[in-house]
Amino acid sequence: MIRPSMHRAANILIVDDTLPNLRLLSDMLQKHGYIIRGVTNGVMALTAVKAEPPDLILLDIKMPQMDGYTVCAQLKEDAETRDIPIIFISALDDSIDKVRAFAVGGVDYITKPFQIEEVLARVQTQLNMAGLRQQLAIQNSQLEQVVAQRTQTLAETVTQLEHEIAERKAMEKAMRQAHKLESLGVLAGGIAHDFNNMLTGIMMEMSVALLKADPTSATYEHLEKAINITDQAQLLTRQLLAYSGKENFEMMALDLNEIINNNLSFLHAATPNRITLDIDLTTEPMLTEANAGQLQQVVMNLVINAAEAYEEEMGSVYIRTFVTRVAEQAGVSLVGNQSLLAGDYVCLQVRDEASGISPENLSKIFQPFFTTKYSGRGLGLSAILDIIREHRGGLALDSVVGRGTTFTVYLPIAVIAEEADEKMSEPAKKIESAQVLLVDDEAVIRLTLSEMFEMKGIGVIEAADGEEGVAQFKEKWQNIDVVVMDMTMPHMDGAEALAQMRQYSTTTPVIILSGYGQSQAMDQIENKEHVYFMKKPFKFEQLMRQITEILVG
Protein backbone atom coordinates (compact mmCIF):
# COMPACT_ATOMS: atom_id res chain seq x y z
CA MET A 1 0.00 0.00 0.00
CA ILE A 2 1.25 3.48 -0.90
CA ARG A 3 0.82 6.10 1.78
CA PRO A 4 1.15 9.87 1.58
CA SER A 5 3.37 9.95 4.67
CA MET A 6 5.98 7.66 6.17
CA HIS A 7 4.49 8.31 9.63
CA ARG A 8 0.76 7.59 9.16
CA ALA A 9 -1.74 5.57 7.15
CA ALA A 10 -3.73 7.31 4.43
CA ASN A 11 -7.05 8.84 5.50
CA ILE A 12 -9.86 8.14 2.99
CA LEU A 13 -13.39 9.60 3.02
CA ILE A 14 -16.09 7.47 1.34
CA VAL A 15 -19.29 9.29 0.30
CA ASP A 16 -22.11 6.94 -0.82
CA ASP A 17 -25.82 6.90 0.04
CA THR A 18 -26.00 3.13 -0.54
CA LEU A 19 -24.99 1.53 2.78
CA PRO A 20 -23.97 -1.89 1.37
CA ASN A 21 -21.55 -0.17 -1.02
CA LEU A 22 -20.28 2.02 1.80
CA ARG A 23 -19.64 -0.98 4.08
CA LEU A 24 -18.03 -3.03 1.28
CA LEU A 25 -15.60 -0.26 0.35
CA SER A 26 -14.87 0.55 4.02
CA ASP A 27 -14.10 -3.08 4.94
CA MET A 28 -11.98 -3.63 1.85
CA LEU A 29 -9.83 -0.54 2.31
CA GLN A 30 -9.44 -1.00 6.07
CA LYS A 31 -8.08 -4.50 5.47
CA HIS A 32 -5.31 -2.86 3.42
CA GLY A 33 -4.30 -0.48 6.19
CA TYR A 34 -6.22 2.65 5.27
CA ILE A 35 -8.07 4.83 7.82
CA ILE A 36 -11.69 5.06 6.63
CA ARG A 37 -14.48 7.52 7.33
CA GLY A 38 -17.88 7.12 5.68
CA VAL A 39 -20.81 9.48 5.11
CA THR A 40 -24.08 9.03 3.19
CA ASN A 41 -24.71 12.43 1.58
CA GLY A 42 -23.05 15.50 0.17
CA VAL A 43 -23.74 17.88 3.05
CA MET A 44 -22.14 15.46 5.53
CA ALA A 45 -19.20 15.08 3.16
CA LEU A 46 -18.48 18.82 3.12
CA THR A 47 -18.72 18.95 6.92
CA ALA A 48 -16.38 15.95 7.33
CA VAL A 49 -13.82 17.42 4.96
CA LYS A 50 -13.86 20.77 6.76
CA ALA A 51 -13.42 19.06 10.14
CA GLU A 52 -10.52 16.88 9.00
CA PRO A 53 -9.35 17.01 5.40
CA PRO A 54 -8.78 13.46 4.09
CA ASP A 55 -5.94 12.29 1.82
CA LEU A 56 -8.43 11.04 -0.80
CA ILE A 57 -12.22 11.01 -1.40
CA LEU A 58 -14.28 8.22 -3.01
CA LEU A 59 -17.43 10.07 -4.14
CA ASP A 60 -20.74 8.72 -5.43
CA ILE A 61 -22.64 10.89 -7.94
CA LYS A 62 -26.36 10.22 -7.44
CA MET A 63 -27.22 11.20 -3.86
CA PRO A 64 -30.16 13.06 -2.23
CA GLN A 65 -29.96 16.79 -1.39
CA MET A 66 -26.59 17.31 -3.17
CA ASP A 67 -25.08 15.18 -5.93
CA GLY A 68 -21.41 14.30 -6.27
CA TYR A 69 -20.74 16.85 -9.01
CA THR A 70 -21.83 19.69 -6.71
CA VAL A 71 -19.79 18.36 -3.78
CA CYS A 72 -16.67 18.13 -5.96
CA ALA A 73 -17.18 21.60 -7.42
CA GLN A 74 -17.50 23.19 -3.96
CA LEU A 75 -14.40 21.42 -2.68
CA LYS A 76 -12.38 22.61 -5.68
CA GLU A 77 -13.46 26.20 -5.10
CA ASP A 78 -11.96 26.17 -1.58
CA ALA A 79 -8.21 26.78 -1.51
CA GLU A 80 -7.84 24.50 1.54
CA THR A 81 -9.52 21.49 -0.12
CA ARG A 82 -8.93 21.94 -3.84
CA ASP A 83 -5.84 19.69 -3.87
CA ILE A 84 -7.57 16.64 -2.32
CA PRO A 85 -7.81 13.96 -5.05
CA ILE A 86 -11.43 12.88 -5.73
CA ILE A 87 -12.28 9.57 -7.41
CA PHE A 88 -15.87 9.34 -8.63
CA ILE A 89 -17.49 5.92 -8.13
CA SER A 90 -20.89 5.57 -9.81
CA ALA A 91 -23.22 3.33 -11.76
CA LEU A 92 -23.46 6.02 -14.45
CA ASP A 93 -21.39 4.81 -17.36
CA ASP A 94 -22.21 7.25 -20.16
CA SER A 95 -19.29 9.17 -21.59
CA ILE A 96 -21.00 12.46 -20.84
CA ASP A 97 -21.17 11.58 -17.12
CA LYS A 98 -17.48 10.75 -17.04
CA VAL A 99 -16.53 13.89 -18.95
CA ARG A 100 -18.54 16.01 -16.49
CA ALA A 101 -16.83 14.28 -13.55
CA PHE A 102 -13.41 15.20 -14.87
CA ALA A 103 -14.59 18.69 -15.76
CA VAL A 104 -15.54 19.52 -12.16
CA GLY A 105 -12.17 18.33 -10.86
CA GLY A 106 -12.23 14.53 -10.49
CA VAL A 107 -8.95 12.69 -10.98
CA ASP A 108 -10.42 9.26 -11.81
CA TYR A 109 -13.73 7.48 -12.46
CA ILE A 110 -14.75 3.96 -11.35
CA THR A 111 -17.93 2.41 -12.74
CA LYS A 112 -20.24 0.29 -10.54
CA PRO A 113 -20.33 -2.60 -10.15
CA PHE A 114 -16.65 -2.39 -9.40
CA GLN A 115 -13.84 -4.90 -8.94
CA ILE A 116 -12.07 -4.70 -5.60
CA GLU A 117 -8.66 -5.00 -7.29
CA GLU A 118 -9.47 -2.11 -9.61
CA VAL A 119 -10.50 0.13 -6.72
CA LEU A 120 -7.33 -0.72 -4.79
CA ALA A 121 -5.11 -0.06 -7.81
CA ARG A 122 -6.72 3.29 -8.60
CA VAL A 123 -6.72 4.42 -4.96
CA GLN A 124 -3.07 3.48 -4.56
CA THR A 125 -2.14 5.23 -7.81
CA GLN A 126 -3.84 8.49 -6.84
CA LEU A 127 -2.37 8.44 -3.33
CA ASN A 128 1.03 7.85 -4.84
CA MET A 129 0.59 10.78 -7.22
CA ALA A 130 -0.66 12.98 -4.39
CA GLY A 131 2.38 12.02 -2.35
CA LEU A 132 4.68 12.87 -5.26
CA ARG A 133 2.95 16.23 -5.69
CA GLN A 134 3.42 16.91 -2.02
CA GLN A 135 7.10 16.01 -2.23
CA LEU A 136 7.46 18.22 -5.29
CA ALA A 137 5.82 21.11 -3.45
CA ILE A 138 8.24 20.65 -0.55
CA GLN A 139 11.20 20.50 -2.93
CA ASN A 140 9.98 23.58 -4.75
CA SER A 141 9.69 25.42 -1.47
CA GLN A 142 13.20 24.35 -0.50
CA LEU A 143 14.49 25.33 -3.92
CA GLU A 144 12.92 28.74 -3.63
CA GLN A 145 14.70 29.20 -0.32
CA VAL A 146 18.01 28.17 -1.87
CA VAL A 147 17.46 30.51 -4.81
CA ALA A 148 16.66 33.34 -2.44
CA GLN A 149 19.81 32.64 -0.43
CA ARG A 150 22.00 32.56 -3.52
CA THR A 151 20.57 35.61 -5.25
CA GLN A 152 22.81 37.89 -3.28
CA THR A 153 25.86 35.72 -3.97
CA LEU A 154 25.08 35.60 -7.68
CA ALA A 155 24.81 39.36 -7.79
CA GLU A 156 28.35 39.61 -6.42
CA THR A 157 29.76 37.28 -9.10
CA VAL A 158 28.19 38.80 -12.21
CA THR A 159 31.52 40.12 -13.44
CA GLN A 160 33.15 36.71 -13.10
CA LEU A 161 30.27 35.00 -14.93
CA GLU A 162 30.44 37.50 -17.77
CA HIS A 163 34.13 36.74 -18.12
CA GLU A 164 33.45 33.00 -18.20
CA ILE A 165 30.72 33.51 -20.81
CA ALA A 166 33.14 35.47 -22.96
CA GLU A 167 35.68 32.67 -22.68
CA ARG A 168 33.05 30.08 -23.58
CA LYS A 169 32.02 32.09 -26.64
CA ALA A 170 35.65 32.33 -27.70
CA MET A 171 36.01 28.57 -27.30
CA GLU A 172 32.85 27.94 -29.30
CA LYS A 173 34.14 30.21 -32.04
CA ALA A 174 37.43 28.30 -32.03
CA MET A 175 35.55 25.02 -32.23
CA ARG A 176 33.55 26.32 -35.19
CA GLN A 177 36.81 27.28 -36.81
CA ALA A 178 38.11 23.78 -36.12
CA HIS A 179 35.07 22.36 -37.90
CA LYS A 180 35.79 24.66 -40.83
CA LEU A 181 39.36 23.39 -40.89
CA GLU A 182 38.06 19.84 -40.82
CA SER A 183 35.84 20.60 -43.83
CA LEU A 184 38.78 22.18 -45.60
CA GLY A 185 40.77 19.06 -44.79
CA VAL A 186 38.16 16.87 -46.44
CA LEU A 187 38.21 19.12 -49.52
CA ALA A 188 42.02 19.16 -49.58
CA GLY A 189 42.13 15.38 -49.33
CA GLY A 190 39.73 14.97 -52.24
CA ILE A 191 41.67 17.43 -54.39
CA ALA A 192 44.95 15.72 -53.55
CA HIS A 193 43.53 12.31 -54.43
CA ASP A 194 42.24 13.47 -57.84
CA PHE A 195 45.44 15.37 -58.52
CA ASN A 196 47.49 12.28 -57.68
CA ASN A 197 45.52 10.33 -60.28
CA MET A 198 46.30 12.99 -62.88
CA LEU A 199 49.97 13.05 -61.88
CA THR A 200 50.09 9.26 -62.20
CA GLY A 201 48.71 9.47 -65.74
CA ILE A 202 51.19 12.22 -66.65
CA MET A 203 54.11 10.29 -65.16
CA MET A 204 53.07 7.07 -66.93
CA GLU A 205 52.76 8.81 -70.32
CA MET A 206 56.16 10.47 -69.90
CA SER A 207 57.67 7.14 -68.84
CA VAL A 208 56.38 5.52 -72.03
CA ALA A 209 57.79 8.37 -74.06
CA LEU A 210 61.09 8.02 -72.21
CA LEU A 211 61.29 4.31 -73.02
CA LYS A 212 60.68 5.06 -76.69
CA ALA A 213 63.01 8.05 -76.90
CA ASP A 214 66.67 7.95 -77.92
CA PRO A 215 68.74 8.33 -74.68
CA THR A 216 71.18 10.57 -76.56
CA SER A 217 68.51 12.99 -77.79
CA ALA A 218 67.49 16.32 -76.31
CA THR A 219 63.95 14.97 -76.07
CA TYR A 220 65.13 12.33 -73.60
CA GLU A 221 66.69 15.01 -71.40
CA HIS A 222 63.50 17.12 -71.47
CA LEU A 223 61.40 14.11 -70.54
CA GLU A 224 63.66 13.37 -67.57
CA LYS A 225 63.27 16.97 -66.40
CA ALA A 226 59.50 16.76 -66.76
CA ILE A 227 59.43 13.59 -64.67
CA ASN A 228 61.51 15.32 -61.98
CA ILE A 229 59.05 18.24 -61.96
CA THR A 230 56.21 15.72 -61.55
CA ASP A 231 58.11 14.27 -58.58
CA GLN A 232 58.17 17.74 -57.04
CA ALA A 233 54.44 18.11 -57.66
CA GLN A 234 53.96 15.03 -55.48
CA LEU A 235 55.15 17.12 -52.54
CA LEU A 236 52.14 19.41 -53.01
CA THR A 237 49.71 16.52 -52.82
CA ARG A 238 51.49 15.06 -49.81
CA GLN A 239 51.19 18.42 -48.08
CA LEU A 240 47.47 18.54 -48.87
CA LEU A 241 46.98 14.98 -47.63
CA ALA A 242 48.95 15.73 -44.47
CA TYR A 243 46.76 18.80 -43.87
CA SER A 244 43.62 16.68 -44.36
CA GLY A 245 44.88 13.95 -42.01
CA LYS A 246 44.78 11.33 -44.78
CA GLU A 247 48.53 10.88 -45.15
CA ASN A 248 50.11 8.09 -43.16
CA PHE A 249 52.69 9.48 -40.75
CA GLU A 250 55.84 7.67 -41.81
CA MET A 251 58.97 8.72 -39.96
CA MET A 252 62.19 9.26 -41.89
CA ALA A 253 65.38 11.28 -41.71
CA LEU A 254 64.50 14.80 -42.90
CA ASP A 255 66.43 18.04 -43.25
CA LEU A 256 64.64 20.77 -41.27
CA ASN A 257 66.24 23.42 -43.49
CA GLU A 258 64.92 21.68 -46.59
CA ILE A 259 61.40 21.54 -45.11
CA ILE A 260 61.52 25.32 -44.53
CA ASN A 261 62.97 26.11 -47.96
CA ASN A 262 60.44 23.87 -49.73
CA ASN A 263 57.60 25.69 -47.98
CA LEU A 264 58.76 29.28 -48.39
CA SER A 265 56.11 29.97 -51.02
CA PHE A 266 53.42 28.64 -48.65
CA LEU A 267 54.80 30.72 -45.76
CA HIS A 268 54.73 33.92 -47.83
CA ALA A 269 51.21 33.14 -49.03
CA ALA A 270 49.99 32.43 -45.49
CA THR A 271 51.29 35.69 -44.02
CA PRO A 272 50.08 39.24 -44.84
CA ASN A 273 52.14 41.48 -47.14
CA ARG A 274 52.90 43.78 -44.18
CA ILE A 275 54.88 40.90 -42.55
CA THR A 276 58.50 40.29 -43.51
CA LEU A 277 60.03 36.84 -43.10
CA ASP A 278 63.62 37.07 -41.88
CA ILE A 279 65.18 33.64 -42.43
CA ASP A 280 68.52 32.52 -41.01
CA LEU A 281 69.21 28.81 -41.64
CA THR A 282 72.37 26.85 -40.93
CA THR A 283 74.55 25.92 -43.89
CA GLU A 284 74.85 22.29 -42.81
CA PRO A 285 71.86 19.87 -43.03
CA MET A 286 69.60 19.80 -39.98
CA LEU A 287 68.65 16.12 -39.96
CA THR A 288 65.97 14.77 -37.62
CA GLU A 289 63.75 11.69 -37.60
CA ALA A 290 60.32 13.10 -38.42
CA ASN A 291 57.21 13.00 -40.54
CA ALA A 292 57.38 15.53 -43.34
CA GLY A 293 53.73 16.56 -43.21
CA GLN A 294 53.66 17.03 -39.45
CA LEU A 295 56.97 18.89 -39.40
CA GLN A 296 55.63 21.19 -42.10
CA GLN A 297 52.54 21.84 -39.97
CA VAL A 298 54.69 22.82 -37.00
CA VAL A 299 56.66 25.32 -39.12
CA MET A 300 53.56 26.74 -40.82
CA ASN A 301 51.55 27.22 -37.64
CA LEU A 302 54.33 28.79 -35.59
CA VAL A 303 55.01 31.28 -38.40
CA ILE A 304 51.29 32.04 -38.86
CA ASN A 305 50.86 32.60 -35.10
CA ALA A 306 53.87 34.93 -35.03
CA ALA A 307 52.55 36.92 -38.01
CA GLU A 308 49.07 37.26 -36.50
CA ALA A 309 50.55 38.52 -33.23
CA TYR A 310 51.19 41.85 -35.01
CA GLU A 311 47.44 42.15 -35.69
CA GLU A 312 47.16 45.02 -38.22
CA GLU A 313 50.69 46.38 -37.72
CA MET A 314 53.78 45.84 -39.87
CA GLY A 315 56.50 43.63 -38.50
CA SER A 316 58.98 40.81 -39.02
CA VAL A 317 58.90 37.12 -38.19
CA TYR A 318 62.37 35.71 -37.56
CA ILE A 319 62.93 32.07 -38.51
CA ARG A 320 66.21 30.54 -37.40
CA THR A 321 67.69 27.03 -37.23
CA PHE A 322 70.64 25.85 -35.19
CA VAL A 323 72.05 22.79 -33.41
CA THR A 324 72.42 22.65 -29.65
CA ARG A 325 73.52 20.09 -27.09
CA VAL A 326 71.43 19.31 -24.02
CA ALA A 327 73.56 18.10 -21.11
CA GLU A 328 72.53 15.59 -18.45
CA GLN A 329 72.03 18.10 -15.65
CA ALA A 330 71.54 21.34 -17.53
CA GLY A 331 68.06 21.73 -18.49
CA VAL A 332 66.10 23.53 -21.03
CA SER A 333 62.98 25.22 -19.70
CA LEU A 334 60.22 23.57 -21.70
CA VAL A 335 56.46 23.92 -21.78
CA GLY A 336 54.76 21.65 -19.24
CA ASN A 337 58.00 21.18 -17.24
CA GLN A 338 59.02 18.55 -19.79
CA SER A 339 62.58 17.29 -19.76
CA LEU A 340 64.75 16.22 -22.70
CA LEU A 341 67.22 13.35 -22.85
CA ALA A 342 70.84 14.44 -23.02
CA GLY A 343 72.16 14.73 -26.57
CA ASP A 344 72.28 16.86 -29.69
CA TYR A 345 69.13 18.56 -30.98
CA VAL A 346 68.23 20.45 -34.12
CA CYS A 347 66.28 23.58 -33.25
CA LEU A 348 63.71 25.73 -35.00
CA GLN A 349 63.24 29.19 -33.51
CA VAL A 350 60.35 31.45 -34.53
CA ARG A 351 60.36 34.94 -33.02
CA ASP A 352 58.17 38.03 -33.30
CA GLU A 353 58.50 41.53 -31.86
CA ALA A 354 54.79 42.10 -31.29
CA SER A 355 52.99 42.81 -28.04
CA GLY A 356 53.87 39.53 -26.32
CA ILE A 357 51.59 37.19 -24.39
CA SER A 358 49.93 38.40 -21.21
CA PRO A 359 50.64 36.45 -18.00
CA GLU A 360 46.99 35.33 -17.70
CA ASN A 361 47.09 33.87 -21.22
CA LEU A 362 50.46 32.16 -20.86
CA SER A 363 48.84 29.35 -18.85
CA LYS A 364 46.01 28.94 -21.38
CA ILE A 365 47.57 29.09 -24.84
CA PHE A 366 48.22 25.34 -24.92
CA GLN A 367 44.63 24.47 -24.07
CA PRO A 368 42.69 22.93 -27.00
CA PHE A 369 40.74 25.55 -29.00
CA PHE A 370 42.04 28.48 -26.96
CA THR A 371 42.54 31.58 -29.06
CA THR A 372 42.79 35.33 -28.57
CA LYS A 373 42.10 36.00 -32.26
CA TYR A 374 38.81 36.69 -33.97
CA SER A 375 39.56 33.89 -36.40
CA GLY A 376 42.25 31.26 -36.27
CA ARG A 377 43.77 29.40 -39.20
CA GLY A 378 46.21 27.03 -37.59
CA LEU A 379 46.07 23.79 -35.70
CA GLY A 380 46.48 25.58 -32.39
CA LEU A 381 49.43 25.36 -30.05
CA SER A 382 47.90 22.36 -28.29
CA ALA A 383 48.12 20.25 -31.45
CA ILE A 384 51.58 21.63 -32.29
CA LEU A 385 52.84 20.64 -28.84
CA ASP A 386 51.43 17.13 -29.29
CA ILE A 387 53.24 16.73 -32.64
CA ILE A 388 56.56 17.90 -31.16
CA ARG A 389 56.25 15.49 -28.22
CA GLU A 390 55.38 12.62 -30.58
CA HIS A 391 58.73 13.32 -32.24
CA ARG A 392 60.48 12.99 -28.85
CA GLY A 393 61.15 16.72 -28.81
CA GLY A 394 60.20 19.71 -26.70
CA LEU A 395 58.94 23.28 -27.03
CA ALA A 396 60.34 26.30 -25.18
CA LEU A 397 58.44 29.58 -24.85
CA ASP A 398 59.78 33.00 -23.93
CA SER A 399 57.42 35.98 -24.02
CA VAL A 400 57.70 39.48 -22.64
CA VAL A 401 54.75 41.86 -22.79
CA GLY A 402 55.59 44.75 -25.10
CA ARG A 403 58.67 43.05 -26.56
CA GLY A 404 57.50 39.90 -28.30
CA THR A 405 57.47 36.11 -28.17
CA THR A 406 59.95 33.38 -29.08
CA PHE A 407 59.08 29.72 -29.64
CA THR A 408 61.96 27.24 -29.86
CA VAL A 409 61.38 23.68 -31.05
CA TYR A 410 63.88 20.98 -30.00
CA LEU A 411 64.03 17.78 -32.11
CA PRO A 412 66.53 14.91 -31.66
CA ILE A 413 69.27 15.01 -34.28
CA ALA A 414 69.42 12.08 -36.70
CA VAL A 415 72.73 10.69 -37.96
CA ILE A 416 72.49 8.57 -41.08
CA ALA A 417 75.02 6.90 -43.27
CA GLU A 418 75.61 7.89 -46.86
CA GLU A 419 72.58 6.92 -48.86
CA ALA A 420 72.95 4.61 -51.78
CA ASP A 421 71.99 5.69 -55.27
CA GLU A 422 68.22 5.91 -55.33
CA LYS A 423 67.90 4.98 -58.98
CA MET A 424 65.87 1.88 -59.46
CA SER A 425 67.94 -1.07 -60.62
CA GLU A 426 66.62 -3.31 -63.33
CA PRO A 427 64.84 -6.45 -62.09
CA ALA A 428 67.38 -9.10 -61.30
CA LYS A 429 65.36 -11.78 -63.03
CA LYS A 430 63.16 -11.76 -66.07
CA ILE A 431 59.40 -12.00 -65.45
CA GLU A 432 58.23 -11.91 -69.06
CA SER A 433 55.92 -14.87 -68.48
CA ALA A 434 53.95 -13.07 -65.76
CA GLN A 435 50.28 -12.22 -66.19
CA VAL A 436 48.89 -9.08 -64.54
CA LEU A 437 45.24 -8.21 -63.87
CA LEU A 438 45.12 -4.40 -64.04
CA VAL A 439 42.02 -2.82 -62.44
CA ASP A 440 41.69 0.99 -62.61
CA ASP A 441 38.81 3.24 -63.62
CA GLU A 442 41.20 5.91 -64.94
CA ALA A 443 41.55 5.02 -68.63
CA VAL A 444 44.80 6.97 -69.09
CA ILE A 445 46.51 5.16 -66.22
CA ARG A 446 45.12 1.78 -67.25
CA LEU A 447 46.05 2.06 -70.93
CA THR A 448 49.50 3.53 -70.28
CA LEU A 449 50.40 0.89 -67.68
CA SER A 450 49.19 -1.82 -70.06
CA GLU A 451 51.43 -0.50 -72.80
CA MET A 452 54.43 -0.37 -70.46
CA PHE A 453 53.78 -3.88 -69.14
CA GLU A 454 53.57 -5.17 -72.71
CA MET A 455 56.83 -3.39 -73.57
CA LYS A 456 58.36 -5.42 -70.74
CA GLY A 457 56.82 -8.61 -72.12
CA ILE A 458 54.24 -8.95 -69.36
CA GLY A 459 50.72 -10.08 -70.21
CA VAL A 460 47.92 -7.75 -69.14
CA ILE A 461 44.22 -8.33 -68.47
CA GLU A 462 42.40 -4.98 -68.16
CA ALA A 463 39.34 -4.11 -66.06
CA ALA A 464 37.73 -0.66 -65.84
CA ASP A 465 36.21 -1.05 -62.35
CA GLY A 466 35.93 -3.41 -59.39
CA GLU A 467 32.99 -5.39 -60.77
CA GLU A 468 34.76 -6.08 -64.07
CA GLY A 469 37.95 -6.92 -62.15
CA VAL A 470 36.13 -9.53 -60.05
CA ALA A 471 34.54 -11.03 -63.17
CA GLN A 472 37.92 -11.30 -64.91
CA PHE A 473 39.55 -12.77 -61.81
CA LYS A 474 36.76 -15.33 -61.36
CA GLU A 475 37.30 -16.57 -64.91
CA LYS A 476 41.11 -16.42 -65.15
CA TRP A 477 42.50 -16.42 -61.59
CA GLN A 478 44.59 -19.57 -62.16
CA ASN A 479 46.55 -17.74 -64.89
CA ILE A 480 46.91 -14.43 -62.99
CA ASP A 481 50.23 -13.93 -61.17
CA VAL A 482 49.53 -10.56 -59.60
CA VAL A 483 46.64 -8.08 -59.38
CA VAL A 484 47.34 -4.35 -59.64
CA MET A 485 44.18 -2.53 -58.49
CA ASP A 486 43.10 1.02 -57.70
CA MET A 487 41.38 1.54 -54.35
CA THR A 488 38.87 4.27 -55.24
CA MET A 489 36.57 3.26 -58.12
CA PRO A 490 32.87 3.62 -58.98
CA HIS A 491 30.39 0.73 -58.62
CA MET A 492 32.79 -1.36 -56.51
CA ASP A 493 35.92 -0.08 -54.77
CA GLY A 494 39.19 -1.94 -54.40
CA ALA A 495 38.50 -3.19 -50.87
CA GLU A 496 35.20 -4.85 -51.85
CA ALA A 497 36.66 -6.22 -55.09
CA LEU A 498 39.58 -7.73 -53.18
CA ALA A 499 37.22 -9.37 -50.68
CA GLN A 500 35.32 -11.03 -53.54
CA MET A 501 38.52 -12.11 -55.32
CA ARG A 502 39.62 -13.86 -52.14
CA GLN A 503 36.67 -16.22 -52.55
CA TYR A 504 38.55 -17.77 -55.49
CA SER A 505 42.18 -17.40 -54.38
CA THR A 506 43.57 -16.35 -51.02
CA THR A 507 47.22 -16.28 -52.11
CA THR A 508 47.29 -14.28 -55.34
CA PRO A 509 49.36 -11.15 -54.62
CA VAL A 510 47.43 -7.87 -54.88
CA ILE A 511 49.05 -4.43 -55.16
CA ILE A 512 46.69 -1.66 -54.06
CA LEU A 513 47.11 1.72 -55.78
CA SER A 514 45.83 4.84 -54.02
CA GLY A 515 46.30 8.58 -54.05
CA TYR A 516 45.68 8.57 -50.29
CA GLY A 517 48.18 7.48 -47.66
CA GLN A 518 48.92 3.85 -46.95
CA SER A 519 47.24 3.71 -43.56
CA GLN A 520 43.93 5.10 -44.84
CA ALA A 521 43.88 2.77 -47.86
CA MET A 522 44.98 -0.39 -46.03
CA ASP A 523 42.65 0.19 -43.08
CA GLN A 524 39.74 -0.53 -45.43
CA ILE A 525 41.06 -4.05 -46.10
CA GLU A 526 40.10 -6.77 -43.64
CA ASN A 527 42.61 -9.49 -44.58
CA LYS A 528 45.94 -7.91 -45.50
CA GLU A 529 47.81 -11.15 -46.22
CA HIS A 530 49.49 -11.05 -49.65
CA VAL A 531 48.34 -7.44 -50.06
CA TYR A 532 50.84 -4.69 -50.94
CA PHE A 533 50.60 -0.93 -51.37
CA MET A 534 51.82 1.54 -53.99
CA LYS A 535 51.12 5.25 -53.51
CA LYS A 536 50.11 7.35 -56.50
CA PRO A 537 51.81 8.91 -58.31
CA PHE A 538 54.63 6.40 -58.82
CA LYS A 539 57.27 5.61 -61.37
CA PHE A 540 56.81 2.53 -63.49
CA GLU A 541 60.21 1.30 -62.31
CA GLN A 542 58.93 1.36 -58.71
CA LEU A 543 55.93 -0.76 -59.66
CA MET A 544 58.14 -3.17 -61.63
CA ARG A 545 60.50 -3.51 -58.67
CA GLN A 546 57.61 -4.36 -56.34
CA ILE A 547 56.16 -6.91 -58.79
CA THR A 548 59.62 -8.48 -59.20
CA GLU A 549 60.12 -8.70 -55.43
CA ILE A 550 56.69 -10.30 -55.05
CA LEU A 551 57.11 -12.86 -57.83
CA VAL A 552 60.80 -13.79 -57.61
CA GLY A 553 61.80 -12.56 -54.17
Side-chain angles (χ1 to χ4, degrees), residues 436-448:
V436 173
L437 172 58
L438 177 59
V439 188
D440 199 310
D441 63 309
E442 294 287 340
V444 172
I445 297 174
R446 189 176 66 253
L447 295 174
T448 308

Side-chain angles (χ1 to χ4, degrees), residues 473 477 481 502 504-510 529-530 532 550:
F473 190 82
W477 68 268
D481 297 296
R502 287 300 186 229
Y504 307 104
S505 170
T506 59
T507 58
T508 302
V510 177
E529 193 172 2
H530 303 295
Y532 307 87
I550 291 171

Side-chain angles (χ1 to χ4, degrees), residues 157-320:
T157 58
V158 167
T159 303
Q160 180 181 351
L161 286 174
E162 287 177 347
H163 181 68
E164 291 177 358
I165 290 170
E167 284 189 342
R168 182 180 294 274
K169 286 182 178 179
M171 183 176 293
E172 288 173 352
K173 178 176 279 190
M175 290 180 70
R176 286 195 297 271
Q177 185 66 24
H179 290 317
K180 289 180 183 178
L181 288 173
E182 184 179 356
S183 298
L184 279 174
V186 173
L187 177 62
I191 292 173
H193 175 267
D194 292 343
F195 191 47
N196 271 339
N197 275 334
M198 288 187 279
L199 284 178
T200 302
I202 293 169
M203 188 172 285
M204 292 299 100
E205 290 289 353
M206 288 191 297
S207 297
V208 170
L210 198 64
L211 288 173
K212 294 181 178 180
D214 181 355
T216 62
S217 67
T219 301
Y220 192 92
E221 182 179 349
H222 288 308
L223 287 170
E224 282 191 322
K225 290 179 180 178
I227 289 175
N228 289 334
I229 292 172
T230 307
D231 275 338
Q232 294 174 20
Q234 290 184 60
L235 295 175
L236 288 173
T237 60
R238 285 187 178 273
Q239 289 164 0
L240 285 172
L241 287 170
Y243 177 78
S244 68
K246 294 180 179 179
E247 178 69 35
N248 54 312
F249 296 130
E250 297 174 355
M251 306 290 281
M252 62 185 72
L254 297 173
D255 183 355
L256 177 58
N257 290 339
E258 186 176 340
I259 291 289
I260 295 171
N261 284 323
N262 288 343
N263 286 278
L264 281 179
S265 59
F266 286 105
L267 292 172
H268 284 291
T271 53
N273 293 332
R274 54 186 166 72
I275 300 299
T276 301
L277 299 183
D278 189 318
I279 300 170
D280 178 17
L281 308 181
T282 61
T283 54
E284 68 274 9
M286 299 279 288
L287 295 177
T288 184
E289 194 80 11
N291 170 264
Q294 289 187 316
L295 192 54
Q296 174 202 341
Q297 289 175 342
V298 170
V299 175
M300 290 286 293
N301 281 272
L302 288 177
V303 172
I304 289 172
N305 282 342
E308 291 183 341
Y310 287 100
E311 297 181 348
E312 300 301 321
E313 298 179 2
M314 297 181 63
S316 296
V317 174
Y318 301 87
I319 305 170
R320 177 185 170 220

Side-chain angles (χ1 to χ4, degrees), residues 400-413:
V400 178
V401 175
R403 294 180 58 185
T405 302
T406 301
F407 286 95
T408 305
V409 178
Y410 292 80
L411 296 170
I413 199 167

Side-chain angles (χ1 to χ4, degrees), residues 41-48 64-66 71:
N41 59 64
V43 176
M44 294 175 64
L46 294 175
T47 303
Q65 299 179 2
M66 183 183 294
V71 173

